[in-house]
Amino acid sequence: MEKLTFYALSAPEKLDRIGAYLSERLIRDVSRHRYGYVCIAMEALDQLLMACHCQSINLFVESFLKMVAKLLESEKPNLQILGTNSFVKFANIEEDTPSYHRSYDFFVSRFSEMCHSSHDDLDIRTKIRMSGIKGLQGVVRKTVNDELQANIWDPQHMDKIVPSLLFNLQHVEEAESRSPSPLQATEKEKESPTELAERCLRELLGRAAYGNIKNAIKPVLIHLDNHSLWEPKIFATCCFRIIMYSIQPQHSHLVIQQLLGHLDANSKSAATVRAGIVEVLSEAAVIAASGSVGPTVLEVFNTLLRQLRLSIDYALTGSYDCAAGVSTKIIKEHEERMFQEAVIKTIGSFASTLPTYQQSEVMVFIMNKVPLPSLQQSIEAGKAGENRNRLTQIMLLKSLLQVSVGFQCSNMLTALPSAFLDRLLSAALMEDAEIRLFVLEILISFIDRHGNRQKFSTISTISDISVLKLKVDKCSRQDTVFMKKHGQQLYRHIYLICKEESNVQAHYEALYSMLMLISIELANEEVVVDLIRLVLAVQEIAQINEDNLTAYNRCALFALGAAYLNLISQLITVPTFCQHIHEVIQMRQKEAPYLLPEDVFVERPRLSKSLDRLGPEVFFWQSKISEVLGGSGYNSDRLSTPYIPQLTDEDRLSKRKSIGETISLQVEVESRNSPEREQRAPAEEITYETLKKAIVDSVAVEEQERERRRQVVEKFQKAPFEEIAAHCGARATLLQSKLNQIFEITIRPPPSPSGTITAAYGQPQNHSIPVYEMKFPDLCVY
């Protein structure tokens, strides 16, 4: 062997003839079953190959590959393994010159076939499969970086290589599972086809360039489809975990796009299959580096929301083909529900990988998809349409909640843009209790930026707030601007939600959390005053009970007010205020414990039906609170003004505005300009003090105006028809008489220079001048 190696190195041009001779001998020995000579010939070839790196090695390699192919074609496992080992040694050699005519198609096919070996003997089967995997690894190493050789990324090769590796990943042999523990396992047992296949797959994916990712991932999806591996989803998740960690990070979004496309392609598959794909998507998104979902972020969410909508349709119609209404597959509602939950979880996973500004865009995008019963958006009619709308609303709001939970933004103005907040609060006025609860939870997750939410999960009147260990920061300038802009809108919706009869304990807990979080996160002095007024107005809802609420709802509102005022009094630390609140709570404990959260928000609430006969000592009094807080520098005028919610067009989205309300608004405008109104007081002198007072009092004036407006609306809603008709008739008569006066004045003659009228009022005058001939000063003419 030494002489032969020396001869080959000294006369490289003879190398191809040496190779041809050895190849001829080996083929002859294989066919004559002289396996000893076969081994000698292969060893000689291996040593020559390792020693010679000259330019003329290409022709020698042709002979070498012919011999390896001959061994691989043999049915003897030992010869197959011998050929594979030689090929692996060759694959590790870096050649000086490229080859233009070398083909590896046979080797890819043969090694893939060996990977699927089903030999009866377990040990031999394992050895053949491992040889096949090593062979594929060798082919990849030899070809992946050489553009002049066969392109290993072509689908024809990938469709063989990838499934072969996945097959070995999937089948863990029984002998391995019987191994007592990794520590006691021998070195031989440690190297299994599964581990080798995983290592080879990682190496293959790690070498994949941008344009090759698609060809590498597609066979994985096809393999999982063909072998029904989406349903248990354990293997599919494992595969994509390997893929996501192996590829270059900047290519992550390509894998996610492939999965989304596959989900669309399987939109009529069983719910369990779709759920498996979505779970894998969720895992892939978590692994993907931040922001690597790629440029088509909204397309990702669009696909997921489209699948959600389809699933709702399938569950309602019981068919995958909504138009035909006939389906060969039986749709199980619980499976569709499981799929919907998986989609919602995935939306949350995706959103958590995005930067803040993109999360904000995604939330606006999802909210715009929520069907709302407003004039701008058409709602499906009929019972089926209502069900579909309700399910869609709930699923989309659940998705929104998933995104908002992981959303962290210090600036509330950017976190909750006006258009988004308007739509979200519109949903808060819907009659469906579940939808209202979702809206409250979403708002809470936005407002809670310091993790205080859990501390208000139970409503109670604790005597010492310090045990809660609240994290409180000073209200920032942006938060102040946000509350100036949207505060009244938030208060109004809290007030209206409190009036809903379908509220349960969860709603009151959410409302309590909302009030407390606004007080901690967004409150300045003005906001605190408004919140106290709001809670006192809520107490009034329960006290007067115009909306005929149940005893539970009324007691819950009383208890909610007590719990909030108890905590806010401790937060703003005004001793006299604390004392008043404490006194009322103590009085309730003695006289009416059913007005406190400890008796209401329990499994079996202890209620009272005699709520209309309560004494004044168990109520929080606005006049008293105004007095004690006014003495500590708070705006007592504002505190003493009762809270009245603003009227807007979307006052009740689920209930259309009545004709009475529309008329009342018209009459209100008319009455404001009517001649019946009192004449204004003479103009007072304007000084700095009056200007200051005007600015301070403007809010109180607005409140009074709103109260007057509310009374007008109430009158037209509740008064008998005869009274309204009489009122409108009197107004019309009055208007007609005023018009008659105006007409008469216009046809009267102009006054004489002496200032006296020459004829009696009402008599026809010969020299009266028509209006169109009258001369007006230039400044009066438009």
Side-chain angles (χ1 to χ4, degrees):
M1 199 61 228
E2 282 177 18
K3 287 180 179 178
L4 180 61
T5 307
F6 177 75
Y7 177 67
L9 287 170
S10 56
E13 68 280 358
K14 303 286 185 186
L15 195 59
D16 57 325
R17 289 183 62 193
I18 296 169
Y21 172 73
L22 283 171
S23 173
E24 188 186 325
R25 285 291 302 267
L26 182 130
I27 290 165
R28 191 170 64 213
D29 290 339
V30 167
S31 58
R32 292 179 181 178
H33 308 290
R34 297 162 72 178
Y35 300 123
Y37 288 112
V38 171
C39 293
I40 292 167
M42 275 319 292
E43 194 175 331
L45 273 169
D46 285 349
Q47 287 193 31
L48 285 172
L49 201 59
M50 301 304 281
C52 303
H53 285 233
C54 59
Q55 289 185 353
S56 55
I57 198 172
N58 269 333
L59 293 173
F60 174 68
V61 168
E62 292 301 319
S63 304
F64 169 77
L65 290 177
K66 197 187 294 179
M67 291 163 67
V68 171
K70 187 68 181 174
L71 292 179
L72 293 175
E73 283 171 355
S74 165
E75 291 179 6
K76 297 280 181 184
N78 289 341
L79 292 184
Q80 291 173 16
I81 293 164
L82 181 69
T84 305
N85 291 341
S86 289
F87 184 83
V88 170
K89 287 176 191 170
F90 160 68
N92 290 328
I93 295 171
E94 288 186 21
E95 295 182 55
D96 296 335
T97 52
S99 170
Y100 295 91
H101 53 84
R102 203 178 292 162
S103 170
Y104 293 98
D105 292 10
F106 167 77
F107 294 100
V108 170
S109 301
R110 185 66 186 130
F111 288 136
S112 299
E113 197 180 324
M114 287 167 70
C115 287
H116 289 84
S117 169
S118 55
H119 199 281
D120 297 335
D121 189 319
L122 178 65
D123 286 341
I124 293 173
R125 183 163 75 231
T126 304
K127 282 178 183 173
I128 293 174
R129 285 187 183 179
M130 286 179 69
S131 288
I133 296 165
K134 285 175 183 173
L136 288 177
Q137 197 174 20
V139 173
V140 170
R141 283 179 184 170
K142 200 70 189 164
T143 58
V144 80
N145 292 325
D146 192 345
E147 292 177 6
L148 294 169
Q149 298 194 12
N151 186 2
I152 202 70
W153 300 108
D154 284 347
Q156 63 188 43
H157 298 312
M158 281 289 118
D159 290 348
K160 293 173 187 171
I161 294 171
V162 174
S164 303
L165 299 176
L166 292 177
F167 175 80
N168 283 282
L169 265 177
Q170 182 187 339
H171 291 85
V172 179
E173 298 296 349
E174 292 174 19
E176 292 167 34
S177 60
R178 285 202 299 267
S179 181
S181 78
L183 295 171
Q184 294 172 11
T186 62
E187 199 64 40
K188 185 183 173 187
E189 283 175 321
K190 277 181 188 173
E191 185 74 341
S192 66
T194 308
E195 289 166 5
L196 196 60
E198 183 179 333
R199 205 159 59 241
C200 184
L201 184 61
R202 285 183 187 278
E203 187 180 331
L204 176 71
L205 294 164
R207 292 169 182 266
Y210 181 87
N212 303 325
I213 292 284
K214 189 177 177 183
N215 288 348
I217 302 302
K218 197 175 177 186
V220 177
L221 299 171
I222 292 168
H223 182 82
L224 295 172
D225 282 346
N226 292 343
H227 295 270
S228 306
L229 294 170
W230 290 113
E231 288 173 43
K233 78 177 180 268
I234 299 161
F235 178 70
T237 307
C238 172
C239 277
F240 274 90
R241 204 175 283 135
I242 291 169
I243 291 167
M244 294 306 289
Y245 280 123
S246 302
I247 60 171
Q248 295 169 43
Q250 66 268 28
H251 299 157
S252 298
H253 68 276
L254 291 172
V255 179
I256 286 165
Q257 282 173 1
Q258 285 275 96
L259 278 166
L260 286 167
H262 198 65
L263 180 61
D264 272 344
N266 280 278
S267 58
K268 290 189 179 179
S269 300
T272 46
V273 172
R274 282 177 283 134
I277 299 171
V278 167
E279 288 275 356
V280 170
L281 256 171
S282 179
E283 287 278 339
V286 171
I287 295 167
S290 177
S292 71
V293 178
T296 55
V297 174
L298 293 181
E299 189 52 45
V300 171
F301 290 94
N302 200 20
T303 302
L304 290 170
L305 295 178
R306 184 167 64 246
Q307 290 299 325
L308 201 55
R309 185 128 199 163
L310 278 173
S311 175
I312 291 166
D313 285 342
Y314 295 158
L316 287 171
T317 58
S319 163
Y320 285 121
D321 189 359
C322 301
V326 180
S327 177
T328 50
K329 296 176 185 174
I330 298 167
I331 291 176
K332 295 175 183 171
E333 270 193 55
H334 73 275
E335 287 182 355
E336 288 297 339
R337 208 170 300 119
M338 181 189 71
F339 168 71
Q340 289 158 15
E341 292 299 329
V343 170
I344 290 165
K345 181 187 160 202
T346 305
I347 286 172
S349 300
F350 266 119
S352 64
T353 67
L354 298 174
T356 307
Y357 75 93
Q358 278 189 331
Q359 283 182 333
S360 191
E361 282 176 15
V362 166
M363 286 187 285
V364 172
F365 180 74
I366 295 173
M367 194 65 228
N368 286 337
K369 295 268 183 187
V370 178
L372 294 174
S374 58
L375 297 172
Q376 293 82 8
Q377 202 161 1
S378 58
I379 284 279
E380 292 181 57
K383 191 150 191 256
E386 280 176 24
N387 284 342
R388 184 173 286 110
N389 288 327
R390 184 182 172 275
L391 281 170
T392 307
Q393 286 158 354
I394 287 172
M395 290 302 165
L396 290 176
L397 288 170
K398 264 191 183 178
S399 307
L400 195 56
L401 182 58
Q402 279 284 327
V403 180
S404 67
V405 165
F407 182 70
Q408 287 295 326
C409 183
S410 56
N411 189 347
M412 291 297 289
L413 278 169
T414 53
L416 289 167
S418 296
F420 174 77
L421 188 62
D422 289 346
R423 286 185 66 82
L424 184 61
L425 290 174
S426 293
L429 294 184
M430 295 179 75
E431 289 179 356
D432 193 290
E434 195 177 354
I435 290 174
R436 289 201 307 276
L437 188 57
F438 276 126
V439 173
L440 285 171
E441 290 291 345
I442 290 163
L443 285 168
I444 286 166
S445 63
F446 276 118
I447 297 168
D448 181 25
R449 292 166 294 180
H450 293 89
N452 290 314
R453 165 76 171 96
Q454 291 307 314
K455 293 159 189 175
F456 305 120
S457 54
T458 53
I459 309 178
S460 63
T461 51
I462 55 169
S463 54
D464 185 9
I465 198 174
S466 61
V467 297
L468 293 177
K469 295 180 180 171
L470 298 173
K471 294 176 185 171
V472 185
D473 272 355
K474 193 181 174 195
C475 181
S476 68
R477 184 175 162 276
Q478 288 100 330
D479 290 344
T480 306
V481 173
F482 173 78
M483 287 309 286
K484 275 192 183 299
K485 191 175 180 185
H486 298 296
Q488 293 301 326
Q489 200 180 3
L490 284 172
Y491 307 146
R492 174 175 174 275
H493 284 81
I494 291 170
Y495 180 85
L496 292 172
I497 291 170
C498 286
K499 294 175 81 166
E500 293 288 348
E501 197 177 338
S502 55
N503 287 343
V504 293
Q505 185 174 334
H507 290 87
Y508 296 114
E509 285 171 352
L511 285 163
Y512 174 66
S513 297
M514 179 99 164
L515 288 165
M516 284 313 304
L517 288 167
I518 293 173
S519 307
I520 290 170
E521 296 276 355
L522 306 170
N524 53 22
E525 193 177 296
E526 191 180 324
V527 172
V528 169
V529 167
D530 280 341
L531 287 170
I532 291 170
R533 289 171 60 232
L534 172 63
V535 170
L536 291 170
V538 168
Q539 177 185 261
E540 197 180 336
I541 293 172
Q543 197 176 341
I544 298 170
N545 197 24
E546 286 178 348
D547 298 282
N548 297 321
L549 297 173
T550 62
Y552 173 76
N553 291 129
R554 293 177 72 185
C555 289
L557 290 178
F558 280 125
L560 174 68
Y564 175 74
L565 289 171
N566 172 56
L567 278 188
I568 199 73
S569 65
Q570 294 181 57
L571 271 175
I572 62 178
T573 61
V574 175
T576 47
F577 181 41
C578 290
Q579 188 184 345
H580 171 62
I581 302 300
H582 190 58
E583 281 170 5
V584 175
I585 289 172
Q586 277 188 326
M587 191 56 70
R588 284 188 181 186
Q589 285 167 348
K590 287 179 194 171
E591 305 289 331
Y594 46 82
L595 301 184
L596 290 172
E598 286 75 11
D599 274 37
V600 178
F601 301 116
V602 286
E603 197 173 331
R604 291 182 180 173
R606 292 181 283 281
L607 308 174
S608 168
K609 293 188 179 172
S610 59
L611 292 173
D612 296 322
R613 294 196 294 274
L614 293 167
E617 66 279 355
V618 295
F619 297 123
F620 302 100
W621 288 99
Q622 187 145 5
S623 55
K624 178 73 175 169
I625 291 173
S626 172
E627 183 189 324
V628 294
L629 285 180
S632 299
Y634 286 84
N635 186 341
S636 57
D637 289 344
R638 192 170 173 79
L639 270 166
S640 57
T641 312
Y643 172 76
I644 295 135
Q646 292 175 339
L647 277 171
T648 66
D649 292 338
E650 49 108 60
D651 213 1
R652 267 281 166 271
L653 284 174
S654 49
K655 303 168 187 168
R656 285 192 173 277
K657 287 171 79 69
S658 67
I659 298 167
E661 278 180 282
T662 315
I663 294 170
S664 70
L665 292 173
Q666 291 168 355
V667 170
E668 180 202 341
V669 172
E670 179 192 325
S671 66
R672 193 181 298 170
N673 302 322
S674 80
E676 237 180 12
R677 286 176 67 106
E678 296 180 315
Q679 287 197 341
R680 289 181 185 174
E684 59 179 320
E685 188 186 351
I686 296 172
T687 63
Y688 170 74
E689 285 303 319
T690 54
L691 283 172
K692 184 179 174 186
K693 191 178 178 187
I695 291 166
V696 171
D697 291 350
S698 61
V699 178
V701 171
E702 278 177 28
E703 295 287 355
Q704 287 165 3
E705 187 67 24
R706 282 193 214 108
E707 171 61 14
R708 196 182 62 73
R709 204 180 297 169
R710 190 180 70 79
Q711 286 169 358
V712 173
V713 171
E714 212 169 82
K715 180 182 175 183
F716 275 83
Q717 280 180 329
K718 297 187 177 177
F721 176 74
E722 291 78 11
E723 190 183 320
I724 295 171
H727 175 75
C728 291
R731 221 170 247 301
T733 311
L734 180 75
L735 184 62
Q736 189 60 48
S737 68
K738 292 288 178 189
L739 285 170
N740 289 340
Q741 282 181 28
I742 292 163
F743 292 146
E744 284 174 3
I745 289 166
T746 55
I747 60 170
R748 285 170 67 185
S752 62
S754 62
T756 56
I757 299 174
T758 53
Y761 169 70
Q763 289 179 356
Q765 298 293 322
N766 293 332
H767 20 269
S768 66
I769 303 167
V771 176
Y772 54 84
E773 287 184 8
M774 285 183 186
K775 299 293 182 192
F776 291 97
D778 290 345
L779 288 172
C780 294
V781 181
Y782 179 72

